[in-house]
């Protein structure tokens, strides 16, 4: 008896459905069927013309023969494999490139590669049902497949693995063969927005010849697509849009999506000075904007385009942080109401490592934002670099596969296809809260900027581009042919838009100054911008004693009904003993600072690598139940807590995470937002964020930001990479009023420093060189009185010595103070005073003058540091501290921050300390 007769007796539709299920998720089908389908697939890979329909399955004694399966059934399976081939690889054979032929990929999708022939074209196959169709001929099935997968939209989705997502995509594209379906009014609106995009670029090209603008020409269809996205998303309940993009097309987007007054854009092109002296501004294509937009249906929405520097992809991390802050603040239970949109360039999205860091955030509790729509304006060239030299991956968007996100590749010349793809992306994001990518295949009409000559490096490509019509003219011809508009309509909307631009240009030239509006000004109501004089004024950071007692009780009491490891129990309960004995350590003071702010209504966000416990086991903001690893956050047990406390261990990223937290602080000035580096020098992995945003965002973009950086710093013999937070780099960046830099030596001062950060009516970034060994140093403790009745001390004078006997005054900062103090006691030197500069920038010059004046007999002044001469604060002090002549006590200059040998490191450290007490060792 034929062992496969049971297959022939059953209806082929049953097999089609089962095979479809197997293709999507092999583990979901019964094991014997799975083995059969595996054998069938294996057999098809060895298919040849001489043995049509034969299939083989590797077995212990050779290959099994499936020749008993009817030819009809075999053909049904072949059609299913053909459908699967289009679903899996159809995107490789699309018509998505508007200016040149696509690369050739093998094997192709010819039916012969699936065991089918021209003789099968008129045969009706039940397999069509997996496409949502009635049984159809192979010819009809092929027509549907080519329409869905191989026209102006190519889609990658079979890699997503989750059958729910895969089925959703298939059902969506099966409905209309993945083709746009807009009515006449919608098409006219698309044409109108496309006209704005094209006309805007043409106007600038004629009025500002040769000026850099990073034009959108070749990708103008993103404007009607963004317009449609915002309109449709608002109908789905989205209330805030947060967008980040690099230069290309930015001015067009500001004008035609965000409604920025073109008068202001023209003023920027004319190079006028700014209306504020303290504000230096930035080039026009870096600026951001926040505006309120009213949709066609009357909904008011908040739209934000974040400012960004020339480091192209950095803004992607920032907008994710802005988005999360808005979600936490306004819609904590429905993240879908804030939509992040990241616009990339093809070379940047493939080449910049931060994109990977951002994508890895997408599903992490501390950083997820409910799905981002990523749009790549694909010019097919990066500055002068061809795409084949710009990446190893097939597509610039292959980063999407990290999070199993769908990708749509779209021909930028087909405006309807681009809008269709954008609406698809929106629906996917709103349905599943996950990222989705759109690869907008276009071109760059001019060079990298309008003064560049692209024919130097891409002569053939730019011959093609020179002959190519713009997307508006292509679409207008399509609508004219369809009878939806006539040529007069197209001319009318073009002339009207140009006339409006002309009018605004003339009006702008009557203004003398350029006015730059701050980004997200609504979030910053009540805050003021200040100079460094205001930054040096004392701030009341005292806190009610009884309330502090309650906070201490909360953070020192573990739930009685849960079991914790003995070390955790001791650490937590010891807080009470330290508090009662007036010996409060760093970790306890930090927790008390957080608790005090929470009771006053401020939110706190703390993130970074291992911050929940703290790299040096000092924080324990989150403790784990021993048997279940249930998380307990004692600060959340505060009865009168008004703010939200969030602490998140980050993934192993500095660049992306700091960018995220900077964005978070930008959107919520009433949240104490802290990023802690695992070791201080690890912040060099985020140097671009520090250089381009943190140190100068207010000066360039008029944006305040209160981000706090905790950078563990101190020389304890741990080698070059675990000693220095590179203090010199931050101090070199300090100027005017741009940020605070502090290096505290007492828990109380750290307590007040954190409180001061929130108690002012302005916000500045705060860089804190935080301790390691001082976390448990027996002398690094504070009293209760110093916490609830103290204030931040920019300078701490020496209160333990008779000032009249002092001949040498030593200025130092941070942990080195305790090392010098120990040596002074060892030597019995009562003629040496130790003055701690707790705030390095702004330098408290007036206070230092008072301190110096209090030592009437001093004639030897020293700046002492444990860092080498070419590092630390020496060069900064040399430029800024001229109140008295002083000498240096430090190591000589070195290339590495510290020696790898513990013995050598300690010897050098001791040498620097000896120089403090012996001026003859000065070098």
């Amino acid at each position: 008896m034929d062992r496969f007769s049971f297959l022939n007796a059953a209806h082929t539709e049953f097999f089609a459905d089962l095979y479809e299920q197997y293709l999507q998720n092999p583990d979901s089908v019964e094991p014997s069927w799975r083995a059969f389908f595996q054998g069938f697939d294996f057999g098809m890979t060895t298919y040849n013309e001489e043995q049509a329909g034969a299939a083989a399955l590797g077995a212990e004694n050779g290959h099994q023969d499936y020749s008993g399966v009817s030819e009809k059934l075999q053909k049904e399976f072949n059609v299913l494999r053909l459908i699967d081939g289009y679903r899996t690889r159809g995107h490789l054979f699309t018509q998505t490139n508007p200016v040149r032929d696509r690369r050739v990929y093998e094997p192709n999708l010819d039916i012969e590669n699936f065991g089918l022939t021209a003789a099968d074209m008129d045969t009706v196959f039940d397999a069509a049902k997996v496409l949502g169709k009635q049984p159809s001929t192979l010819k009809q099935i092929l027509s549907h497949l080519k329409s869905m997968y191989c026209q102006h939209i190519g889609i990658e989705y079979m890699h997503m693995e989750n059958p729910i997502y895969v089925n959703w995509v298939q059902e969506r594209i099966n409905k209309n063969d993945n083709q746009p379906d807009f009515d006449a009014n919608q098409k006219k609106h698309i044409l109108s927005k496309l006209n704005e995009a094209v006309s805007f670029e043409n106007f600038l090209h004629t009025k500002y010849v040769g000026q850099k603008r990073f034009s959108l020409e070749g990708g103008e269809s993103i404007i009607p697509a963004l317009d449609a996205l915002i309109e449709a998303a608002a109908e789905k309940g989205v209330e805030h849009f947060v967008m980040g993009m690099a230069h290309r097309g930015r001015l067009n987007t500001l004008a035609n999506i965000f409604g920025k007054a073109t008068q202001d854009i023209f003023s920027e092109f004319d190079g006028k000075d700014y209306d504020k002296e303290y504000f230096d501004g930035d080039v026009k294509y870096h600026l951001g904007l926040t505006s309120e937009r009213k949709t066609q249906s009357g909904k008011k929405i908040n739209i934000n385009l974040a400012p960004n520097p020339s480091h192209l992809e950095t803004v992607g991390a920032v907008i994710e942080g802005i988005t999360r802050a808005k979600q936490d603040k306004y819609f904590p239970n429905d993240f879908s109401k804030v939509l992040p949109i990241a616009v990339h360039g093809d070379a940047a999205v493939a080449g910049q490592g931060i994109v990977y860091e951002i994508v890895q955030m997408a599903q992490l509790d501390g950083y997820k934002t409910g799905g981002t729509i990523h749009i790549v304006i694909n010019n097919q060239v990066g500055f002068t670099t061809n795409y084949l030299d710009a990446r190893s991956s097939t597509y610039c968007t292959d980063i999407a596969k990290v999070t199993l996100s769908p990708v749509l590749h779209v021909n930028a010349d087909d405006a309807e296809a681009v809008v269709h793809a954008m609406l698809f992306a929106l629906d996917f994001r709103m349905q599943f809260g996950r990222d989705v990518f759109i690869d907008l295949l276009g071109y760059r009409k001019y060079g990298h900027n309008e003064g560049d000559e692209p024919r130097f490096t891409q002569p053939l490509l730019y011959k093609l581009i020179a002959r190519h019509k713009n997307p508006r003219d292509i679409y207008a011809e399509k609508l004219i042919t369809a009878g939806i508009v006539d040529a007069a309509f197209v001319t009318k909307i073009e002339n009207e838009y140009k006339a409006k631009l002309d009018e605004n240009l003339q009006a702008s030239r009557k203004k003398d100054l350029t006015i730059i509006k701050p980004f997200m000004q609504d979030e910053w109501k009540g805050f003021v911008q200040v100079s460094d004089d205001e930054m040096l004024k004392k701030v009341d950071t005292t806190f009610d004693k009884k309330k502090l007692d309650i906070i201490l009780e909360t953070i020192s009491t573990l739930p009685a009904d849960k079991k914790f490891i003995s070390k955790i129990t001791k650490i937590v309960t010891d807080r009470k003993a330290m508090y009662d004995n007036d010996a409060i350590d760093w970790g306890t003071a930090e927790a008390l600072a957080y608790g005090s702010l929470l009771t006053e209504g401020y939110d706190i966000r703390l993130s970074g690598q291992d911050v929940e416990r703290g790299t040096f086991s000092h924080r324990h903001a989150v403790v784990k139940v021993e048997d279940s690893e249930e998380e307990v956050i004692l600060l959340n047990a505060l009865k009168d807590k008004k703010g939200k406390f969030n602490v998140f261990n980050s993934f192993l990223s500095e660049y992306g995470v700091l960018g995220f937290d900077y964005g978070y602080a930008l959107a919520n000035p009433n949240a104490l937002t802290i990023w802690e580096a695992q070791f201080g020098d690890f912040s060099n992995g985020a140097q671009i964020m520090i250089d381009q945003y943190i140190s100068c965002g207010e000066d360039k973009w008029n944006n305040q930001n209160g981000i706090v950086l905790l950078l563990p710093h101190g020389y304890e013999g741990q080698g070059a990479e675990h000693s220095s937070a590179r203090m010199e780099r931050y101090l070199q960046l300090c100027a005017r009023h741009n940020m605070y830099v502090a290096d505290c030596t007492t828990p109380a001062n750290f307590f007040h420093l954190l409180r001061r950060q929130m108690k002012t009516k302005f916000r500045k970034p705060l860089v804190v060189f935080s301790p390691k060994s001082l976390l448990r140093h027996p002398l690094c403790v504070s009293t209760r009185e110093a916490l609830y009745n103290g204030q931040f001390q920019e300078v701490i004078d020496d209160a333990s010595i008779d000032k009249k006997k002092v001949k040498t005054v030593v200025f130092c900062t941070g942990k080195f103070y305790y090392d010098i103090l120990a040596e002074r006691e060892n030597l019995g030197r009562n003629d040496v005073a130790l003055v701690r500069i707790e705030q390095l920038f702004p330098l408290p010059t007036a206070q230092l003058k008072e301190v110096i004046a209090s030592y009437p007999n001093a004639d030897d002044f020293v700046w002492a540091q444990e860092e080498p001469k070419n590092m630390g604060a020496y060069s900064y002090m040399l430029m800024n501290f001229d109140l008295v002549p002083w000498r240096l006590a430090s190591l000589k200059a070195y290339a590495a921050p510290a020696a790898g040998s513990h013995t050598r490191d300690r010897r050098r450290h001791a040498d620097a300390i000896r120089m403090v007490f012996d001026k003859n060792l000065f070098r």
Side-chain angles (χ1 to χ4, degrees), residues 591-603:
L592 289 169
Y594 296 152
S596 69
L597 291 170
L598 289 168
T599 62
E600 291 172 332
Y602 297 103
D603 296 336

Side-chain angles (χ1 to χ4, degrees), residues 118 120 141 169 173 192 215 229 332 348 405 458 518 710 730 734 747 768 809 827 876:
D120 299 314
I141 291 171
V169 172
I173 63 178
S192 177
S215 77
L229 171 67
S405 301
Q458 280 83 24
L710 300 184
Y730 297 91
C734 290
V768 183
V809 177
L827 296 174
Y876 168 77

Side-chain angles (χ1 to χ4, degrees), residues 33 60 70 96 118 165 269 283 293 295 300 314 326 338 347 396 407 419 444 465 484 536-537 660 664 710 723 837:
W33 279 109
E60 188 173 343
S70 73
T96 51
Y165 306 149
F269 268 101
V283 290
R293 171 168 164 164
T295 68
K300 288 184 178 180
T314 56
K326 285 176 170 284
V338 187
C396 62
V407 183
V419 174
R444 188 185 67 193
I465 291 173
I484 295 173
L536 284 165
K537 290 182 179 179
F660 185 101
Y664 197 98
L710 300 184
S723 297
I837 301 179

Side-chain angles (χ1 to χ4, degrees), residues 87-138:
R87 288 171 171 175
T88 306
R89 302 181 70 246
H91 56 86
L92 297 171
F93 306 96
T94 56
Q95 301 172 32
T96 51
N97 198 319
V99 291
R100 54 186 172 189
D101 294 333
R102 293 203 57 175
R103 283 182 280 179
V104 176
Y105 295 94
E106 295 291 345
N108 60 30
L109 297 176
D110 290 350
I111 59 173
E112 288 77 13
N113 290 323
F114 298 90
L116 299 164
T117 69
D120 299 314
M121 293 297 283
D122 293 324
T123 302
V124 175
F125 290 98
D126 288 337
K129 291 188 175 182
V130 304
L131 298 174
K133 313 294 182 184
Q134 292 300 313
S136 307
T137 65
L138 180 57

